Each structure stands twice: as C-alpha cells, then as structure tokens.
Amino acid sequence: MSGASPREHLICTVADLLQGCRTIAVGASSPIPAAAAMLHRARAAVSGRPPVRISILGSVRHNFFTNGSAELFDSAAQGRIDAFFLGGGQIDGQGNINLVGTAPYPRSPLRWPGSFGSSFLYFMVPKVILFREDHDPRVLVDRVDFISAPGTSEPHVARPGGPHALVTGKALFRFDRDAGRFELSGLHPGHDLEAVRAATGFGFRHAPVPPVTPAPDAESLSLLRGPVRDTLAESYPGFAAQLQSA
Amino acid sequence: MSAAVPGLMTPGAMASEVHSGMRLALPVDYAGVPMALMPHLVAGGARDLDLVCVPTGGLQPDILIGAGRVRSVETSAMTLGEAGGAPCFRRAVAAGDIAVRDATCPAIHAGLMAAQKGVPFMAIRGLIGSDVLRHRPDWKVIQNPLSEVADPIVVVPPIRPDVALFHCPVADRDGNVLIGRRRELASMAYASRHTFVTVERVIDGSLFDNEQTAAGTLPALYVTGVAVAERGAWPYGLGGEYEADTAALRDYAAAARTPRGFDAWLERFVADGGMP
C-alpha cells in the first residue's frame, strides 16, 4: 500500500486522539474531523471494541438526534458526548478561541460566522479537539481579539470539559489544563520545529527534539481508503474523492 | 378541500402579517427555511425588524439585511455554509448598520424554553469568562440558589418573538403541520405570539389519524396561518423531501459580494417569485 498523503496522516492523528471515545459529535463542514471519527469507529468495529456513535450536525443521514438542534447541547450537558471538534478564526496560547471576528468588536473588520455552540460545548464536552488545517500566525495568535469560549476557567466554575489537543497541518499540541498552555507533542512529517515556531503566534513548551507524529498503520490506511471513504463520500463527496492525493 | 383548512392563506398575505418593528424568529438553514415568503417580504414595507436566528442564520436573514429591513440580529452564527460567509451581514456589521446580539446556540434554545415555560429566565452552563457573555447585558450571572458552595451560573431572559416563520412538508385539513424531528420549530412556535408556516402540500386528512405522524406534528393550536409553497425552501433543502441547491447558494454568495451585485440578484429573485 502506498504511503499516507498529508490529509490521510492528519486524519489518523486526529483518530488517535479519540481513543476511548464512544459518542462523538462533528460540526457540519468539518470533513477531516468527520473522517477521523469514522476511522475511529471503523477501527473499534474491526477490533471488537464497543460500538462508536457519530452525529454529523446538519446531516439528515448521519444524525442520530430526534429532538432538534437543542439535543446536541442537552446531551452534552448530560455528559453523553465524549468528544467534539472546534476550529476558530483565532486560537491563542491559553486555549481561548475566537469564532466571531477581529477587533474592534462589534464592528469587526474581519467578521467570521459567530460562536455557534462553542461558548457552551467548550465547557461541557470532556475532549474538545481544536482543529485548523492552516497553521498560520494570524490564526494561532498570542491573544484572541474576542473570546467565544475561554481555554480554562476558575476552579469554582462548573466545567467538566475543555480543550484536549490542537491539530494543525504542521503539528499536534496537547493542552495542559493545569498550566493553561499548549505543549508540542509532535511534528507532522516534513515539518521542523523552527518553521512551526515561526508559524505560531504563541509560545509553547516542547522537547528539545520533538517527535514526529506516528504514520498511519496499514490497517488504518486500508479502512480509510475503503469503507471510511465510502461513508465519507455520502456527506463530503468532493473531499472523499481527492483524499489520497491531497 | 383546501378552502376549509383553518388559517389557509397565500404566501403574499402571510408576508403582509409581518410589520415594521417586529421581532421575527427564523429557522436554521436545514430545518425548513420559508424562502418562498422572501419575495413578498422584500416587496412589502416592513422595516426595523429584530431577527432571532434559531439558533443560526444564513440566506434568509442575509437577504433581509441586504434589503435594509433589519435593525438587529440575535444569532449564534451567520453563514451560507459551504458557500461561505454571509456577505450582507458582514458588510452591515463592519459599517455598524445593524446591532448584533452575538449568542451561543443553547442560549437561544434556553431563551425560547423560558418563553415556552412562561418563566422569567432559564439557567445555562458555560459562557462564564467569554466575551459573548460580557457583551450581553441582558444575561446575568447568579449564584446557584440551591447550592451552599460557590456555583455561578448564567441566566437568560425569555425570547418571545412576535412572529415565527418556517417551512414544513405537510399541513392537514385542520391546520396541524408536520415538523418531524425538527423540534426547534415547535420551540419557535411555543415561544412566539404568531406562527406562520409555508408547506409543500395540504393533505385531506388529519395528521392525528396516525400515531407515527402525530408524534412529529405541531398542533394547530400554535399555528396562526398556513400557506402552500411548493419547493418553498429553495434554494435550501427540506429533510426527507429535497436537497439544498448548493449551486444557487454559491451564485448568491458570488453576486452579493458587492452591494450592486446583491441588488441585481434581489431584483431577479423578486421578479422570478423566488423560484428556481
């Protein structure tokens, strides 16, 4: 089997982060997180682990909710959602995310769609994975212009969830909730520490020689190029078709 | 048969029930957007509308903003999905032409729930430490009155729209409408003073004749008026009926990039009666 494309590598990196998750929700326009969740589900199925449920928001076919768009939030509040994905126009070194726009608020010169459910889900879902494919200092900033949801909260604020990791096209960071900071845990193949540092607007801890994120094993690649791609094509046909080349 | 349906009206008559200064609840883009009303709404004179997007908005509020009909928008997000950002919304925000009340999805659901229950507020977790909360003076942080330890929690006031508008597959001869699993439409109707629903078709029977359809039915008690509009969500899709017309949404996104492009698009849209 040919080696993994960068996209395939990224999907496997995200899927590894979902270890142990049984119920996963994915936003409407998030093909890479959706693919990762589907790969995680397929791996659980072939290895005989308990079944994994995925709900893709806005999808008719891949949406197991029957109580309207409030049900995701209610089920997260009940602790039933193990993992969720968030992006953001800006993500800062303290794990704060901005989905609203650049300063000054409210007349943002650069206005993004809005906070969606992030101001709630970031607090409630145990494992929130931040995902931005483009790793750019305009995205990964020292301090966000607007806090849609904070990375950490004071101890007396009810908060069972929060950021778990940040995955970009260049690297994987883990979020240290006690320190309230990101730590580089791996570089994707072909990327080096200096370039990642230059492309990141916030400081982060790292090993002197950071490891490379693991390449997908043969089983993951064959699942990804077989059943996962077929299921993915139902929701993201264009994305699924060019998976192996991108 | 149709003449006997209570509240049956034309889309034009329905749109004329929306008056200047009203607070209008509009559905999320996959829940049944009443696009067939748009040419009539734009042709009518209603201005200074306060929109509530349940819980996010897209093409419908963007057109109303572009047409200069909107005073404020309460929403958790505004987007055309795959077709990109909402161009008129962005322009109006940058120019300060509309007031934006940025929210988060479950806070909008909580506000509707407070109205549904007839209580003065609903409590919601999360939000503390966010700028969303900081910019919402109408939302408060209180101490959980049932806890003996520090437990701050946000409360939001009821959202009581004057009018809710949405599109559904079916109404029956008694004016009940089938919402299926799009339960946020029921929340909108419970919370609003008046609810107007466009439908693909009216059936000569009762949705209550069958327990399976009854379970997905919004009773006529909450429905002020029904109008037939085939493919009435276009270019959005309708669950179980038809898919979204992504090409048409992209055409809008491209045209509306400039105010002149938007005006030309809107003129054609109104002339075509909002149909493909």
Side-chain angles (χ1 to χ4, degrees):
Chain A
M1 189 167 292
S2 61
S5 73
R7 278 256 167 97
E8 289 174 328
H9 186 98
L10 215 46
I11 290 166
C12 291
T13 302
V14 176
D16 289 346
L17 294 169
L18 295 172
Q19 208 166 16
C21 294
R22 296 278 309 277
T23 306
I24 301 163
V26 183
S29 42
S30 311
I32 290 178
M38 288 173 184
L39 175 60
H40 171 66
R41 178 172 62 186
R43 294 202 295 213
V46 297
S47 61
R49 287 197 297 274
V52 170
R53 277 184 295 268
I54 304 171
S55 192
I56 299 178
L57 309 177
S59 159
V60 173
R61 190 150 175 192
H62 298 280
N63 175 355
F64 55 67
F65 293 124
T66 57
N67 197 24
S69 59
E71 190 174 356
L72 166 69
F73 309 107
D74 292 348
S75 58
Q78 297 149 16
R80 295 181 200 274
I81 306 293
D82 300 320
F84 187 68
F85 299 91
L86 283 169
Q90 293 176 334
I91 298 168
D92 74 21
Q94 290 85 56
N96 300 311
I97 56 174
N98 175 6
L99 287 72
V100 164
T102 54
Y105 182 84
R107 291 179 61 174
S108 302
L110 193 54
R111 170 74 203 204
W112 301 310
S115 301
F116 291 97
S118 66
S119 321
F120 178 81
L121 293 174
Y122 210 35
F123 286 76
M124 305 311 291
V125 177
K127 211 179 241 195
V128 177
I129 295 167
L130 299 172
F131 178 78
R132 272 296 300 231
E133 196 171 10
D134 43 340
H135 189 135
D136 183 307
R138 285 169 302 183
V139 174
L140 305 180
V141 296
D142 185 50
R143 190 77 188 162
V144 293
D145 290 352
F146 183 98
I147 300 176
S148 287
T152 57
S153 300
E154 292 174 55
H156 65 285
V157 173
R159 183 160 195 178
H164 173 68
L166 164 64
V167 185
T168 73
K170 295 183 194 295
L172 164 67
F173 300 85
R174 297 276 181 166
F175 190 73
D176 179 339
R177 285 187 194 171
D178 294 327
R181 302 289 299 175
F182 287 105
E183 180 170 354
L184 182 71
S185 57
L187 296 161
H188 300 324
H191 296 281
D192 65 65
L193 179 60
E194 276 325 295
V196 165
R197 240 207 297 247
T200 308
F202 57 77
F204 52 85
R205 285 189 309 186
H206 59 83
V209 182
V212 176
T213 51
D217 57 31
E219 183 185 62
S220 295
L221 271 186
S222 84
L223 288 170
L224 194 49
R225 290 171 184 178
V228 170
R229 188 176 56 187
D230 295 343
T231 314
L232 198 61
E234 293 166 7
S235 299
Y236 310 96
F239 176 83
Q242 43 128 8
L243 195 56
Q244 218 171 320
S245 53
Chain B
M1 168 271 288
S2 291
V5 177
L8 191 69
M9 54 196 343
T10 64
M14 191 173 272
S16 70
E17 297 286 336
V18 175
H19 304 297
S20 293
M22 276 187 167
R23 196 175 185 190
L24 219 58
L26 303 174
V28 64
D29 55 15
Y30 49 79
V33 182
M35 287 300 297
L37 295 177
M38 291 306 289
H40 306 286
L41 278 175
V42 169
R47 297 185 171 275
D48 294 325
L49 299 173
D50 297 313
L51 306 184
V52 181
C53 301
V54 183
T56 65
L59 180 61
Q60 186 174 35
D62 203 56
I63 293 171
L64 289 170
I65 292 167
R69 302 312 170 88
V70 176
R71 173 169 60 191
S72 74
V73 180
E74 174 163 18
T75 191
S76 307
M78 193 73 88
T79 168
L80 299 177
E82 275 187 271
C88 296
F89 169 73
R90 281 180 170 174
R91 266 196 300 278
V93 164
D97 289 343
I98 56 168
V100 182
R101 300 164 80 203
D102 267 289
T104 187
C105 305
I108 294 206
H109 293 305
L112 293 172
M113 180 72 80
Q116 172 182 333
K117 303 282 184 201
V119 294
F121 57 80
M122 189 61 63
I124 171 177
R125 286 295 187 199
L127 278 164
I128 294 170
S130 72
D131 287 331
V132 179
L133 175 64
R134 203 160 61 82
H135 288 281
R136 291 298 302 253
D138 55 330
W139 297 354
K140 307 285 182 202
V141 181
I142 63 166
Q143 160 64 23
N144 169 0
L146 305 180
S147 171
E148 280 163 19
V149 299
D151 182 17
I153 187 163
V154 174
V155 293
V156 302
I159 297 174
R160 286 193 57 87
D162 295 301
V163 167
L165 303 174
F166 50 82
H167 184 72
C168 289
V170 174
D172 70 13
R173 63 170 181 229
D174 301 319
N176 305 301
V177 297
L178 187 68
I179 59 169
R181 56 172 160 157
R182 298 280 31 127
R183 301 300 308 177
E184 58 271 76
L185 301 179
S187 303
M188 288 165 66
Y190 299 153
S192 301
R193 291 182 178 85
H194 296 285
T195 294
F196 294 98
V197 186
T198 56
V199 294
E200 293 289 317
R201 55 195 172 274
V202 176
I203 56 160
D204 187 17
S206 171
L207 290 164
F208 284 97
D209 285 346
N210 174 322
E211 280 302 306
Q212 286 179 21
T213 53
T217 293
L218 176 69
L221 168 64
Y222 307 101
V223 180
T224 313
V226 171
V228 176
E230 269 180 62
R231 291 192 73 78
W234 181 85
Y236 282 119
L238 185 63
E241 298 275 330
Y242 45 91
E243 297 289 310
D245 182 349
T246 310
L249 287 166
R250 286 189 201 281
D251 285 348
Y252 172 81
R257 232 174 266 153
T258 65
R260 277 186 61 181
F262 170 78
D263 290 343
W265 182 93
L266 187 62
E267 200 176 316
R268 204 171 56 242
F269 178 74
V270 172
D272 293 346
M275 295 306 287

